[in-house]
Amino acid sequence: MKTKTLFYTLSLLTIVFTMTACSNEDDAAVKSGDNTNVRTWQVSINAGPAQTRAISVGGNDGQTLYYNWDAYDVVEVVKGGASVGTLHANVSEGNSAYAKLDGTLTGTFSVGETVTLYYHTAELDYTEQVGTLAGVSTNKSYLTATSTVKSVDGDNKFLSMSDAAFTPMQDYLELSFTDGNKPINVKSLEIWAEDGKLVKTKAIDGTTTYASEASPLVITPATATNKLFLALRDENGATNKYHFKVTASNGLIYKYEDYKRLENGFFYKGSVTMTVSPEIVGYFLNKDGSITSTKQTSGENQSYAVIAYVGSVPHYFDDFIAIALIDADDETQSWSDALYKVGTYAAAHPVTIGTTTYKTCAIGNSYYDVFDSGETSNSRTSAVVKGWRLPSVTDWRYIFYGLCNSPSPTEPAAITEHGNYGNGGTLLTAINTACGNDILKNVGYWTSSDTNGFGYYWVYTFSSSEFESREDMFYVRAVFAY
């Protein structure tokens, strides 16, 4: 992860238990009766340390992971690859870190045989996590231990068993998600590992399903949040390349990948700095702020714009630029009227992202930037203005590049009046194809870029494939900057 990752070994407390047992030669054999037939046996196993579902984070540093038993926690017992019974926790009154596991086992048992204990169950299932400490604690914190038969009392059908020290079967992660500047509120998180050994489920017979890009492990919090607590089991056993894919509350898709070694029994805490995924170019920005791969023609998620470029361009947009699906008006407009028409269009096509609704021309009745022929088009030095606006020359350049992969939006940085810029016909077709119509015309469209305050503003003319400064009447297409 991009910031320093903190990790801690889980403290394993040791305790010596006193057990009553025979001390003569009969300790190694059945005292009486016959244990060659399947029968049910009473069992009581001292469990320590108590590393089960009740997990808490605290301590002097506030970053230490603790485990405690809850009354009646269930432990499944496996012998020879088959379940032979379940035990329940009888929690110590003085310290819930310790417990006795009481219950019955069914089968044949001999002195020296070993059984394996599993909390919660022998079958692992890391799917349907909700990203909280409580959620992991409830049913995703699997632990295991072994216990050996010390003596067999055939008359009383009682097995004396060695103490059990549980260890975690996965690692734990507390992660915060950010784009480098601000938190990312996660609606869902998809995870997979490159070697294909990140466990989703594992049956008692060892049959395992692993996470992949096509079928990732999905974490879905009840409410979008920038912090998640996870339980992951990677059977790779070495450094591995992990992939995180986030669908955020603002509709954007973010990605992160890096090499890490996650070891069972460790607690990792850190920040994940993600970047917006370019895969949403061509997706649709909708009225409710959602982003979908298909155009929505009505309802609260009706599509109003198409994502044309993903990424950050300082002073112009932080995450993406989207172009409206239709012109702001059917007729040509003067430059000042073009700003008014963008405001009218925005009022009729409001977009709500988070708690903010964008329904005006965000730049009012002013230009967004200013530069003259032969100067860099990326001239703005003030902060990004988000929402609907008349596109600047730089906005148009990134729209062209995002939807058509050419020409470069930064080389050359300067724009020369009447200099050929791309193939206007190709750019026109790319935009109309993305919008799903043929409304954009093979004529000139206004920008919000001024040419040094002389009443001339930059226009891109598709028919001549050039930027030029004009004071005439041209068409208007709004963009949504975010």
Side-chain angles (χ1 to χ4, degrees):
M1 293 147 191
K2 298 281 178 79
T3 60
K4 183 178 179 181
T5 301
L6 307 177
F7 59 95
Y8 307 84
T9 55
L10 303 182
S11 301
L12 302 181
L13 307 177
T14 57
I15 183 169
V16 178
F17 291 92
T18 302
M19 298 185 67
T20 302
C22 300
S23 59
N24 53 33
E25 295 179 357
D26 289 338
D27 283 354
V30 180
K31 289 177 61 179
S32 62
D34 179 12
N35 76 320
T36 60
N37 296 318
V38 174
R39 60 173 66 182
T40 298
W41 305 85
Q42 293 291 325
V43 171
S44 183
I45 300 175
N46 287 314
Q51 301 188 61
T52 61
R53 79 175 185 196
I55 309 171
S56 59
V57 178
N60 293 332
D61 59 4
Q63 298 174 335
T64 302
L65 203 59
Y66 296 97
Y67 295 83
N68 296 90
W69 289 96
D70 284 341
Y72 306 109
D73 273 343
V74 177
V75 173
E76 185 172 11
V77 183
V78 172
K79 176 175 176 282
S83 180
V84 294
T86 56
L87 308 177
H88 294 83
N90 184 3
V91 181
S92 168
E93 292 184 3
N95 189 339
S96 61
Y98 314 124
K100 282 184 178 293
L101 304 178
D102 299 323
T104 60
L105 304 181
T106 301
T108 60
F109 297 90
S110 300
V111 172
E113 286 189 317
T114 297
V115 297
T116 305
L117 313 179
Y118 294 95
Y119 177 84
H120 308 270
T121 65
E123 293 191 348
L124 309 181
D125 187 348
Y126 294 101
T127 65
E128 298 183 356
Q129 292 188 52
V130 296
T132 64
L133 175 63
V136 169
S137 178
T138 299
N139 57 16
K140 302 302 177 184
S141 179
Y142 296 96
L143 301 111
T144 188
T146 59
S147 181
T148 302
V149 179
K150 296 175 64 178
S151 66
V152 180
D153 185 345
D155 290 338
N156 296 304
K157 299 179 182 178
F158 180 80
L159 302 179
S160 176
M161 307 293 294
S162 66
D163 298 349
F166 283 83
T167 57
M169 300 184 71
Q170 63 283 307
D171 58 81
Y172 304 91
L173 300 92
E174 185 179 274
L175 303 178
S176 299
F177 295 84
T178 173
D179 65 2
N181 296 308
K182 60 184 183 300
I184 297 172
N185 287 322
V186 179
K187 287 180 63 178
S188 69
L189 167 65
E190 299 177 14
I191 308 173
W192 67 95
E194 203 140 288
D195 78 331
K197 292 295 184 180
L198 183 65
V199 175
K200 294 175 69 177
T201 63
K202 189 164 190 171
I204 195 170
D205 65 0
T207 301
T208 308
T209 60
Y210 296 103
S212 64
E213 184 174 7
S215 180
L217 179 67
V218 180
I219 314 298
T220 309
T223 304
T225 177
N226 71 303
K227 183 177 289 186
L228 298 176
F229 194 96
L230 314 173
L232 300 180
R233 176 179 172 85
D234 189 346
E235 295 182 343
N236 173 276
T239 299
N240 202 352
K241 189 174 185 179
Y242 289 89
H243 296 262
F244 287 179
K245 179 180 177 180
V246 162
T247 300
S249 59
N250 62 5
L252 293 178
I253 297 173
Y254 295 85
K255 287 189 174 181
Y256 166 87
E257 58 184 38
D258 200 3
Y259 289 91
K260 295 294 174 184
R261 183 178 182 183
L262 301 182
E263 299 181 60
N264 294 339
F266 280 71
F267 174 33
Y268 301 84
K269 183 174 183 178
S271 178
V272 183
T273 303
M274 310 194 77
T275 57
V276 181
S277 172
E279 72 185 71
I280 64 171
V281 169
Y283 281 32
F284 295 90
L285 174 65
N286 305 323
K287 178 180 180 180
D288 61 359
S290 62
I291 294 174
T292 55
S293 60
T294 56
K295 185 191 297 187
Q296 310 302 303
T297 58
S298 63
E300 288 303 308
N301 68 336
Q302 182 175 350
S303 300
Y304 288 157
V306 63
I307 306 293
Y309 181 87
V310 169
S312 173
V313 177
H315 315 296
Y316 286 83
F317 44 89
D318 293 331
D319 294 313
F320 66 83
I321 187 81
I323 186 168
L325 299 180
I326 60 175
D327 290 345
D329 195 88
D330 292 335
E331 304 295 333
T332 59
Q333 307 292 326
S334 66
W335 187 82
S336 59
D337 284 344
L339 295 169
Y340 172 77
K341 290 297 182 179
V342 170
T344 302
Y345 180 87
H349 299 81
V351 174
T352 300
I353 299 179
T355 58
T356 303
T357 298
Y358 300 91
K359 57 182 180 180
T360 64
C361 178
I363 59 175
N365 59 0
S366 181
Y367 53 82
Y368 195 73
D369 58 15
V370 56
F371 67 94
D372 209 344
S373 180
E375 298 177 349
T376 178
S377 68
N378 190 354
S379 61
R380 183 177 173 85
T381 57
S382 300
V384 170
V385 178
K386 294 184 177 181
W388 291 110
R389 68 175 185 235
L390 191 63
S392 67
V393 168
T394 293
D395 293 337
W396 274 117
R397 295 182 73 185
Y398 278 92
I399 290 169
F400 295 159
Y401 181 74
L403 294 179
C404 207
N405 296 320
S406 179
S408 167
T410 57
E411 296 178 6
I415 290 294
T416 302
E417 186 169 7
H418 300 300
N420 183 270
Y421 192 88
N423 183 306
T426 301
L427 299 176
L428 176 74
T429 298
I431 294 173
N432 277 336
T433 298
C435 293
N437 55 47
D438 59 359
I439 294 175
L440 194 72
K441 301 170 180 63
N442 194 31
V443 291
Y445 278 80
W446 282 118
T447 80
S448 58
S449 297
D450 191 3
T451 58
N452 287 326
F454 296 117
Y456 288 80
Y457 299 89
W458 288 97
V459 171
Y460 184 78
T461 304
F462 289 93
S463 59
S464 59
S465 304
E466 64 182 3
F467 283 105
E468 54 185 332
S469 60
R470 300 290 294 274
E471 59 172 349
D472 207 339
M473 305 281 285
F474 296 96
Y475 284 94
V476 182
R477 180 67 67 101
V479 295
F480 190 94
Y482 192 78

